[in-house]
Amino acid sequence: MSASYKRLQISDTIGYHQIIDPKFKTNTIKVRFLLPLEPQRAAGYALAASLIPTSARKYPSIAALNRKMNRLYGGSASVDVSKMGDLQSVTMTFSALCNRYALEQEDILGELLTVLTDCLFDPNLEGEGFSRTEYAIKAKDLLDTIEADINNKRGYAIRQCCRLAYKDEPAAYSCYGTKEEVLALTPESTYQAYLELLRTAAIEIFFIGPEEQPQVLPVLKEAFSQIDRVPNALCAFISPSPLKEESALLTETLPVAQCKMVLAFKSSCTNHYAMNLMNMLYGMTPFSKLFANVREKLSLCYYCTSSYSELKQTIFVDCGVEKKNIETAKAEILRQLEAVQNGDFTDELLENTKLSIFNSIRSTGDTQSSYVAWYFTALIRGYLHTTDEAIEAYQAVTREQIMEAARSLTLDTIYIMEAAGEEDVHE
Amino acid sequence: MNKTTQTVITSQTTGDQFVRIDHASGLTIYVCEMEGFSTTEALFATKYGSINTQFKTIHDEDYCIVPEGIAHFLEHKLFENEDCDVFSLYAKTGANANAFTSFDKTAYLFSCSDHYKESLEILLSFVQNPYFTPESVAKEQGIIGQEIRMTNDDPGWRVFFNTLRGLYHNHPVKIDIAGTQESIAQITDKLLYRCYHTFYNLHNMVLSISGNCKVSEVLEIADRLLKPCDDQELEMVFPEEPMTIVSPETIDYAPVGAPVFHLGLKCRPKSGYENLKAEMEAYIAMQILTNASSPLYQSLMEEGLINNTFTSEIFNGDGYFCIIFDGESNDTHTVRARILDAIRKAQETGLDAELFDEIRKSTYGTMVQEMNYVSTVANLMMNAHLNRVSPFDTIEILSRMTLEDVNRFLREEIDPELSTLSVVMSPVQEQEKGENGYAQ
């Protein structure tokens, strides 16, 4: 039996994607909520969502729910809060081993479904709000996550660049909210935020497993029918970021050993196949223009890579570099972009970049998460391609289209993290 | 010349199968054909990492001592052929290629969904054909210098190495994998060749390949490209390591949110099957005592002493074995006291039998799930061989493990006195620190 995909409906406002592939050993259900990313609400949704797959009335503590998941052969219940362009995405994942691996013939999937509905629809409440004990734990987790923004310097540099590049757009805002917004929440207001999330978010549910499980859809239909759904109108998935009249620069000095530089380029090109290929050829592979020149030829950086946000039509180039080499690295990054704009790249480089992208497309389906990403991207773009069709579309991209995509880029924002006192130490 | 032999290895617990090939060239090859997968992953690895700083072969009179970070440096340089960069060869097949160096191994890998045979040819060829020059060594010093600076800015990396330096007096596990700016400046092309010819001997290596591949095809390429070599009877030396710690506490400063900590517990090192068995017993014991289903985790969370970053791991290899708890906390002294108290109490009373059954069941499920990932399977086969055990030993040890095995490990192998606390906090937190602990 080969893999199959079906898109069904839980209700008028909730999509259900069934992905069957016999090679998998686990059943996974992902419930994805999509909301406009709004400063007044993001913290409440993030905190509420984190309370859902960690306890429930029947399992009233983190330890109690985890013990239940241990008994389901290491099943997992987790939440991921992220930013998707101008949207806030909240995904709750429940996953466990297939019944055929149960040592004592337990109905693992049946129990997993019960845990899911218990967590989502029968949460751990106290009065009109979430349990105070569990609320305090998750509020602290969220505050610590916000404070730990600085821990990963590379990620922090990119996020700082995003904040400035997307200034006055929802995408500039954190999907976790701010410390002050979290501190202003209460167990009651957070529970209200959760009810609002259930009522107003766009919802897409994914089931992935080795064989069809007819009991899943009716259970979810019944559970979600309790909610009086009034979904918000979502802003568009793809929301290009407008170009600034003058490019912006932010320099921060921190006590670090290595400086970081991030350049954000905005694009007006809507051909995402050409943009993706151009981005890979320019700076994403270990044979790209940036790797070959900034790292290998000039030895300026350990990493210097580009990444493409299709949703914001923005390309970021980021690198770690010594203070004295910042300007040289920047000049080389811009010089290599100019080279791509002028068609100064070999046919071999273009063909090899295509091979690299085909390689990654053909591996879609080897993990459950790659299936979900593929079908969710189809939803974003409004059309579903097979992997063969996607490969054909990339194959058809010409050298001129790559040059055109590169020429659509304009430098919008520069972020530099300077190492405090680097000259004193190293010069 | 030896003959090539094949053995099918089957898990008694899950029925999964691997093929082990003892190749005439001296190389051991593991293959796992995984039906329904598009991806192939191959790892060509040598038992050579940052801890292997002192060694000799049958051809050497004296032990050779090399600069710190040289195994990692060699890994970078092997990617350069006489006439081109190895990435440009992989570019023609579309494969995604990489390499990594850890404490006790260096691995070269690729993953692809097409043309795996061509990529395997590239992998086997370039790893067997080193090309180092003074110029290319000088160029790499700049790149690796930047890599060292990058990791110096990673609080997780710093807190980890400070833990190892707090636990180990002499063992080279305490040195940074990439070395230092000073140590890599001592590396020459001649030293690289010496290390290469010592450790990149097929008897000291393994090829592990999983996913969309066939044993017969792998064997045909191996027969054609592997250069037979003699076993050089490689001898490693590690300095004597006393069973004491270096310091009970280290504090370091860097820009971070909440203070980041590691609590390390030094245990007696073991090797081969005994090492794996001890690792599994330590893992199960720590899961029972401190994972998210434990009463200790719940109470530390309720009291605001830890957050959801808290985990534990067993870190072991040639001559080292320790248990590490890591997380973030504003009161790391109390967290240390509570964890060590829980261990002492369990040493006296034994672990909870019900939790033992649940954790064992959960670990079994996780191991079955891991067999569903092409990359995990390739890594599992490689690690098992380099650690001198069979790939299914882990799950078989788990299936036979009793509560008494784990209690015995706790009683006999763990000494809470042999612990070190390592903390990285921001300078501001240090200023706010009270008399009896850290900032609240």
Side-chain angles (χ1 to χ4, degrees):
Chain A
M1 188 188 130
S2 59
S4 70
Y5 168 74
K6 268 189 218 164
R7 185 166 195 271
L8 306 161
Q9 294 291 130
I10 298 268
S11 70
D12 292 350
T13 64
I14 304 175
Y16 180 73
H17 308 250
Q18 180 188 272
I19 302 160
I20 304 301
D21 190 328
K23 66 175 175 273
F24 290 128
K25 297 183 175 189
T26 50
N27 289 306
T28 299
I29 303 164
K30 279 183 186 285
V31 184
R32 180 164 291 166
F33 301 88
L34 294 155
L35 302 132
L37 181 53
E38 293 173 343
Q40 305 77 18
R41 297 172 195 270
Y45 292 147
L47 182 51
S50 73
L51 278 150
I52 295 306
T54 47
S55 70
R57 189 176 56 81
K58 213 188 272 179
Y59 313 104
S61 67
I62 295 174
L65 183 61
N66 272 282
R67 287 189 70 170
K68 175 66 186 172
M69 299 316 281
N70 287 342
R71 292 193 288 270
L72 293 184
Y73 295 88
S76 63
S78 63
V79 66
D80 174 62
V81 178
S82 64
K83 192 158 55 175
M84 217 172 252
D86 285 347
L87 303 180
Q88 184 181 22
S89 162
V90 169
T91 306
M92 295 178 197
T93 303
F94 295 81
S95 182
L97 214 55
C98 300
N99 288 0
R100 67 172 180 263
Y101 295 101
L103 298 171
E104 291 151 22
Q105 284 73 52
E106 302 100 316
D107 176 14
I108 305 176
L109 177 61
E111 294 202 39
L112 183 74
L113 266 174
T114 308
V115 171
L116 182 153
T117 50
D118 283 341
C119 287
L120 263 76
F121 301 104
D122 194 6
N124 185 10
L125 301 180
E126 214 176 291
E128 300 294 308
F130 282 112
S131 141
R132 289 181 188 280
T133 307
E134 297 303 308
Y135 174 86
I137 290 173
K138 300 316 288 181
K140 180 182 184 317
D141 274 345
L142 187 55
L143 287 168
D144 286 350
T145 302
I146 293 167
E147 296 252 297
D149 189 37
I150 187 75
N151 288 19
N152 176 337
K153 306 298 177 291
R154 184 176 179 182
Y156 172 80
I158 294 174
R159 285 187 291 276
Q160 284 292 76
C161 189
C162 277
R163 283 170 195 132
L164 187 56
Y166 302 147
K167 192 169 178 285
D168 301 327
E169 298 172 60
Y173 199 71
S174 164
C175 60
Y176 303 122
T178 64
K179 195 176 162 184
E180 292 69 30
E181 286 157 2
V182 176
L183 289 170
L185 294 166
T186 63
E188 290 74 24
S189 66
T190 306
Y191 181 54
Q192 286 307 313
Y194 179 59
L195 294 178
E196 192 175 283
L197 176 126
L198 280 179
R199 211 173 53 245
T200 66
I203 302 178
E204 296 292 328
I205 300 178
F206 296 83
F207 170 79
I208 317 112
E211 54 200 10
E212 288 199 23
Q213 298 290 350
Q215 74 271 39
V216 177
L217 188 58
V219 169
L220 294 174
K221 272 188 176 172
E222 166 65 23
F224 276 95
S225 69
Q226 305 163 30
I227 309 295
D228 184 17
R229 296 261 304 147
V230 192
N232 272 336
L234 277 184
C235 42
F237 282 112
I238 298 177
S239 48
S241 179
L243 181 68
K244 292 184 184 52
E245 283 182 15
E246 254 182 67
S247 67
L249 168 70
L250 171 63
T251 303
E252 271 186 294
T253 304
L254 288 172
V256 291
Q258 186 185 60
C259 301
K260 308 281 183 206
M261 176 164 62
V262 189
L263 309 180
F265 298 89
K266 305 267 175 82
S267 165
S268 51
C269 176
T270 52
N271 179 347
H272 67 87
Y273 292 108
M275 281 297 288
N276 249 332
L277 261 179
M278 183 275 293
N279 171 55
M280 289 188 71
L281 181 146
Y282 175 46
M284 249 192 101
T285 71
F287 49 89
S288 64
K289 299 290 267 182
L290 292 180
F291 189 92
N293 291 286
V294 183
R295 172 176 151 139
E296 291 297 306
K297 200 167 156 191
L298 300 179
S299 298
L300 291 170
C301 306
Y302 171 66
Y303 71 89
C304 178
T305 57
S306 66
S307 55
Y308 170 49
S309 163
E310 184 181 334
L311 302 182
K312 299 301 294 175
Q313 287 181 12
T314 305
I315 279 188
F316 293 91
V317 174
D318 80 309
C319 64
V321 62
E322 269 187 77
K323 195 170 183 174
K324 65 179 182 198
N325 291 330
I326 288 177
E327 283 309 313
T328 317
K330 184 181 158 197
E332 189 61 21
I333 289 165
L334 295 175
R335 205 172 74 77
Q336 291 307 322
L337 178 61
E338 210 181 308
V340 181
Q341 289 169 337
N342 294 333
D344 179 13
F345 54 88
T346 61
D347 287 341
E348 190 186 11
L349 177 59
L350 177 55
E351 286 313 306
N352 289 346
T353 308
K354 285 182 180 177
L355 276 180
S356 177
I357 214 162
F358 299 162
N359 180 61
S360 113
I361 291 171
R362 286 196 184 102
S363 64
T364 301
D366 273 2
T367 58
Q368 295 189 334
S369 56
S370 68
Y371 268 128
V372 172
W374 185 267
Y375 291 113
F376 190 72
T377 302
L379 199 72
I380 289 174
R381 290 182 181 158
Y383 58 84
L384 175 61
H385 266 174
T386 62
T387 51
D388 285 344
E389 287 164 344
I391 286 171
E392 272 173 39
Y394 278 109
Q395 188 64 279
V397 175
T398 63
R399 155 180 287 278
E400 286 66 33
Q401 286 173 316
I402 297 281
M403 291 160 59
E404 207 176 301
R407 284 199 286 262
S408 78
L409 296 180
T410 308
L411 183 59
D412 179 272
T413 302
I414 303 171
Y415 170 81
I416 293 172
M417 180 192 293
E418 275 191 2
E422 192 181 308
E423 293 95 335
D424 307 335
V425 180
H426 297 286
E427 285 191 1
Chain B
M1 189 172 154
N2 295 326
K3 275 169 86 174
T4 296
T5 58
Q6 278 187 42
T7 318
V8 176
I9 306 172
T10 307
S11 165
Q12 301 303 313
T13 314
T14 64
D16 288 304
Q17 283 193 338
F18 301 147
V19 174
R20 176 186 165 131
I21 302 166
D22 289 292
H23 195 261
S25 61
L27 183 69
T28 302
I29 303 170
Y30 281 92
V31 185
C32 179
E33 298 177 356
M34 294 171 70
E35 202 188 328
F37 287 85
S38 308
T39 311
T40 313
E41 175 138 341
L43 291 144
F44 194 14
T46 167
K47 190 171 173 56
Y48 177 41
S50 61
I51 62 169
N52 304 111
T53 53
Q54 207 174 337
F55 53 84
K56 86 191 254 298
T57 69
I58 198 169
H59 308 296
D60 303 315
E61 283 189 9
D62 293 324
Y63 283 98
C64 175
I65 300 175
V66 289
E68 296 176 359
I70 193 166
H72 171 257
F73 203 101
L74 205 166
E75 173 232 301
H76 272 237
K77 285 327 300 168
L78 212 53
F79 267 90
E80 234 166 274
N81 269 352
E82 186 166 1
D83 45 1
C84 70
D85 182 304
V86 170
F87 285 122
S88 64
L89 299 175
Y90 277 121
K92 294 180 178 59
T93 70
N96 190 0
N98 212 336
F100 65 87
T101 307
S102 69
F103 293 93
D104 55 5
K105 64 180 142 313
T106 308
Y108 301 83
L109 61 134
F110 71 80
S111 75
C112 64
S113 50
D114 211 351
H115 310 295
Y116 92 88
K117 288 185 279 182
E118 289 86 339
S119 293
L120 185 58
E121 288 177 5
I122 295 169
L123 178 67
L124 296 188
S125 301
F126 90 83
V127 174
Q128 292 186 95
N129 287 292
Y131 178 72
F132 313 129
T133 64
E135 295 73 32
S136 71
V137 168
K139 187 203 83 175
E140 209 64 29
Q141 278 159 346
I143 295 171
I144 295 179
Q146 285 305 313
E147 188 179 359
I148 292 170
R149 284 187 178 211
M150 184 180 78
T151 52
N152 282 345
D153 283 335
D154 177 355
W157 193 256
R158 270 163 67 166
V159 79
F160 177 53
F161 275 94
N162 287 344
T163 307
L164 296 177
R165 284 190 276 267
L167 290 176
Y168 291 94
H169 298 267
N170 306 316
H171 195 285
V173 71
K174 66 180 183 168
I175 63 174
D176 195 306
I177 292 169
T180 62
Q181 305 270 3
E182 293 73 28
S183 73
I184 63 167
Q186 299 163 30
I187 292 172
T188 63
D189 54 328
K190 287 188 180 57
L191 265 179
L192 289 177
Y193 275 117
R194 170 132 193 212
C195 291
Y196 178 84
H197 290 301
T198 302
F199 291 100
Y200 286 67
N201 177 295
L202 294 181
H203 293 268
N204 194 48
M205 300 180 75
V206 63
L207 172 67
S208 174
I209 180 161
S210 61
N212 184 11
C213 59
K214 286 198 165 55
V215 172
S216 57
E217 293 171 348
V218 171
L219 201 50
E220 186 277 318
I221 295 167
D223 287 344
R224 193 156 36 86
L225 294 178
L226 292 175
K227 299 175 185 172
C229 53
D230 294 326
D231 190 344
Q232 302 189 89
E233 298 175 24
L234 176 60
E235 278 180 51
M236 296 305 313
V237 184
F238 293 107
E240 196 169 318
E241 177 63 40
M243 272 309 285
T244 58
I245 57 161
V246 179
S247 79
E249 192 166 315
T250 313
I251 297 176
D252 195 359
Y253 301 96
V256 288
V260 178
F261 75 90
H262 272 27
L263 172 65
L265 277 167
K266 189 172 182 174
C267 305
R268 273 181 298 161
K270 301 182 184 343
S271 59
Y273 188 85
E274 285 307 306
N275 176 48
L276 181 64
K277 186 165 177 290
E279 177 186 319
M280 288 304 296
E281 288 165 355
Y283 172 79
I284 296 289
M286 293 312 123
Q287 291 294 303
I288 294 170
L289 283 176
T290 66
N291 92 349
S293 58
S294 68
L296 177 64
Y297 181 93
Q298 182 71 31
S299 63
L300 292 174
M301 288 292 264
E302 286 181 10
E303 292 166 55
L305 289 166
I306 56 168
N307 61 25
N308 61 2
T309 61
F310 182 79
T311 57
S312 70
E313 71 160 316
I314 313 304
F315 176 68
N316 53 339
D318 278 348
Y320 59 94
F321 191 116
C322 53
I323 298 166
I324 295 177
F325 303 91
D326 71 276
E328 296 173 0
S329 176
N330 286 314
D331 187 354
T332 51
H333 285 161
T334 303
V335 174
R336 171 174 60 186
R338 296 282 289 278
I339 292 171
L340 297 182
D341 283 350
I343 291 172
R344 286 190 191 99
K345 189 172 167 224
Q347 286 174 325
E348 284 170 21
T349 61
L351 293 159
D352 183 301
E354 206 176 326
L355 276 174
F356 170 75
D357 288 338
E358 289 174 10
I359 295 287
R360 208 164 69 114
K361 198 171 188 181
S362 159
T363 308
Y364 159 79
T366 307
M367 286 181 181
V368 174
Q369 290 179 47
E370 282 175 349
M371 290 299 298
N372 225 183
Y373 293 92
V374 171
S375 174
T376 310
V377 170
N379 277 281
L380 185 144
M381 297 188 295
M382 172 192 70
N383 286 328
H385 181 75
L386 295 178
N387 293 329
R388 301 186 190 93
V389 292
S390 180
F392 294 121
D393 280 352
T394 314
I395 199 159
E396 305 307 333
I397 286 171
L398 181 77
S399 69
R400 287 194 293 269
M401 187 185 289
T402 65
L403 178 59
E404 183 40 38
D405 292 334
V406 183
N407 279 327
R408 187 206 49 77
F409 181 89
L410 257 184
R411 282 193 311 269
E412 296 175 11
E413 303 289 339
I414 297 182
D415 178 358
E417 298 304 311
L418 297 182
S419 65
T420 191
L421 177 67
S422 160
V423 182
V424 172
M425 60 168 69
S426 79
V428 178
Q429 287 154 352
E430 166 63 3
Q431 284 163 19
E432 291 170 356
K433 198 171 89 173
E435 276 182 16
N436 300 315
Y438 300 117
Q440 298 295 303

